[in-house]
Amino acid sequence: MTSPAPYLPPASPALSAADQGALTDLYVRGTPANTLRAYERDLLYITAWKTARFSAALDWPERQETALAFILDHARDLNDTPETDIARQTAEALMAQGLRKSLACPAPSTLDRRIASWLAFHRMKNLPSPFDAPQVKQARAKARRAAARPPAPKSQHPITRDVLEQLLTTCRGSRRDCRDRAILMLGWASGGRRRSEITGLRREDVSLKEFEEKGRVWISLLETKTTQKGETPRLVLKGRAAQALVHWVEVGEIQGGPLFRPISKADRVLKRRLSPNAIYQIVRHRLKLAGLPEDFASPHGLRSGFLTQAALDGAPIQAAMRLSLHRSVAQAQKYYDDVDIADNPA
């Protein structure tokens, strides 16, 4: 009598093309726009690197040897290497494509971000990562330590209250001036908003119900870098900041859609929203008009300036974080530490 065949569970059906498309759409809708742009840039760079280095397309999953070569190519200064060095030739090819700035060793944070993007693509495809191999992990840790350097500030200087006042004096009477004044004051007084948060605002996110009676404007941010949709608390504007925003809404005749928009040379408000890069250009333009160097500060100076000013004014860090929406106390604390060190009586 023969023994019965062992029971084998039915194999899981492979995802259909429609399911794969739905999964891709889910990733896109569930990932912040800034992260998607970073993924796109990093994938372009990694693909170009492998083509120049190995004359081959990316593999999925990628080989461990390729991951190790990527780390080694980006963990040393290539200026002193021979012209025949394959890593140098690869870097020069990337520079010719505008994908790399120099032969100098990239910042560890840049390497970490590109590897993180590569890892994310493997996870999306449900594939093992080559960066999990012990030798690759060890090389990555050594590269990070060997190239360790103090992180460069996102803004050369914080835009504290006195600097902000200088910028505001350049905003006089045109629609462009009204818009820029509202952007600067909202970006600073609401807790130091990021560029994407400012340009992502819509008229529907701003409540003016309490402005006439209490002089307050409420702002709802649907999503930020550190919060998810529906989790961000409402932010409040008071005093001059609230007045500047209300004035822009009236002057710009913003009844719906994007809150901040481009303005034509004829001083006409357009319908589309500003790009995040436009905030950079606005800050740079106002710095120049105020007689300050154009590289004195970047838009992140609004964020660092708010926290620095809060520390100078003696505001509790918890109160400042409720507006800045920092998730980590350590991140916000560094601005307070700078003030404490500067004022340290010792």
Side-chain angles (χ1 to χ4, degrees):
M1 183 176 180
T2 59
S3 59
Y7 170 75
L8 295 176
S12 300
L15 288 178
S16 66
D19 289 336
Q20 287 286 4
L23 185 59
T24 300
D25 177 68
L26 183 62
Y27 279 124
V28 171
R29 290 186 291 109
T31 305
N34 283 348
T35 304
L36 288 175
R37 284 191 288 270
Y39 282 166
E40 185 178 6
R41 291 194 302 268
D42 292 338
L43 182 60
L44 178 65
Y45 180 90
I46 294 165
T47 302
W49 170 84
K50 188 173 182 185
T51 300
R53 183 70 152 80
F54 296 106
S55 300
L58 293 178
D59 290 323
W60 302 101
E62 191 53 82
R63 298 174 59 199
Q64 296 176 12
E65 295 80 4
T66 302
L68 186 58
F70 186 80
I71 294 173
L72 296 176
D73 282 8
H74 296 84
R76 56 193 174 118
D77 191 321
L78 301 174
N79 283 293
D80 299 326
T81 58
E83 294 184 359
T84 55
D85 187 286
I86 183 62
R88 176 171 182 151
Q89 292 177 346
T90 302
E92 289 173 342
L94 294 173
M95 289 166 61
Q97 298 177 56
L99 297 175
R100 181 166 175 160
K101 293 182 179 179
S102 70
L103 295 174
C105 179
S109 58
T110 302
L111 178 60
D112 282 344
R113 195 201 67 237
R114 286 172 177 157
I115 290 176
S117 295
W118 211 344
L119 282 167
F121 286 118
H122 277 80
R123 286 195 296 269
M124 291 177 193
K125 296 175 179 290
N126 200 30
L127 297 172
S129 166
F131 292 97
D132 289 336
Q135 186 182 36
V136 178
K137 290 177 70 174
Q138 186 179 42
R140 185 181 177 190
K142 296 295 184 183
R144 189 182 296 114
R145 184 169 184 176
R149 66 184 78 166
K154 294 180 180 179
S155 179
Q156 186 174 344
H157 296 94
I159 299 177
T160 48
R161 185 183 291 116
D162 58 335
V163 178
L164 179 66
E165 293 291 357
Q166 294 181 61
L167 302 186
L168 293 177
T169 58
T170 70
C171 303
R172 295 183 173 88
S174 68
R175 285 191 176 92
R176 188 183 303 274
D177 289 333
C178 293
R179 181 202 65 187
D180 291 0
R181 183 188 298 112
I183 286 174
L184 291 171
M185 297 198 79
L186 181 148
W188 195 88
S190 65
R193 303 272 57 87
R194 301 177 181 89
R195 291 184 297 169
S196 59
E197 295 169 2
I198 295 173
T199 57
L201 282 171
R202 298 177 62 82
R203 174 62 183 85
E204 295 80 3
D205 302 326
V206 177
S207 174
L208 306 181
K209 293 180 180 179
E210 296 185 8
F211 179 71
E212 290 295 334
E213 182 179 350
K214 300 180 179 179
R216 290 198 296 243
V217 173
W218 291 92
I219 301 171
S220 298
L221 292 177
L222 294 183
E223 189 175 6
T224 73
K225 183 179 178 181
T226 55
T227 59
Q228 302 298 320
K229 292 180 180 179
E231 295 180 2
T232 305
R234 292 192 305 164
L235 302 175
V236 65
L237 285 182
K238 301 178 181 179
R240 293 166 58 200
Q243 293 170 7
L245 182 58
V246 172
H247 186 54
W248 160 245
V249 169
E250 294 173 349
V251 169
E253 299 179 353
I254 311 298
Q255 298 181 3
L259 182 61
F260 295 115
R261 310 175 181 194
I263 296 177
S264 69
K265 292 182 179 179
D267 209 31
R268 184 170 58 88
V269 180
L270 306 181
K271 293 183 178 181
R272 67 178 185 273
R273 74 179 181 93
L274 281 178
S275 68
N277 184 62
I279 306 298
Y280 172 82
Q281 299 298 336
I282 288 170
V283 170
R284 184 169 178 164
H285 177 63
R286 295 298 166 181
L287 286 168
K288 182 179 180 179
L289 292 179
L292 296 168
E294 293 182 14
D295 62 350
F296 179 86
S298 72
H300 192 269
L302 296 170
R303 187 165 177 80
S304 61
F306 170 81
L307 285 164
T308 301
Q309 191 65 56
L312 290 169
D313 293 346
I317 189 172
Q318 294 83 358
M321 288 177 63
R322 288 190 67 180
L323 287 177
S324 69
L325 302 180
H326 273 86
R327 187 164 51 187
S328 165
V329 175
Q331 282 291 101
Q333 184 66 47
K334 63 183 180 180
Y335 301 104
Y336 275 66
D337 288 344
D338 289 344
V339 172
D340 291 340
I341 292 172
D343 295 339
N344 190 325

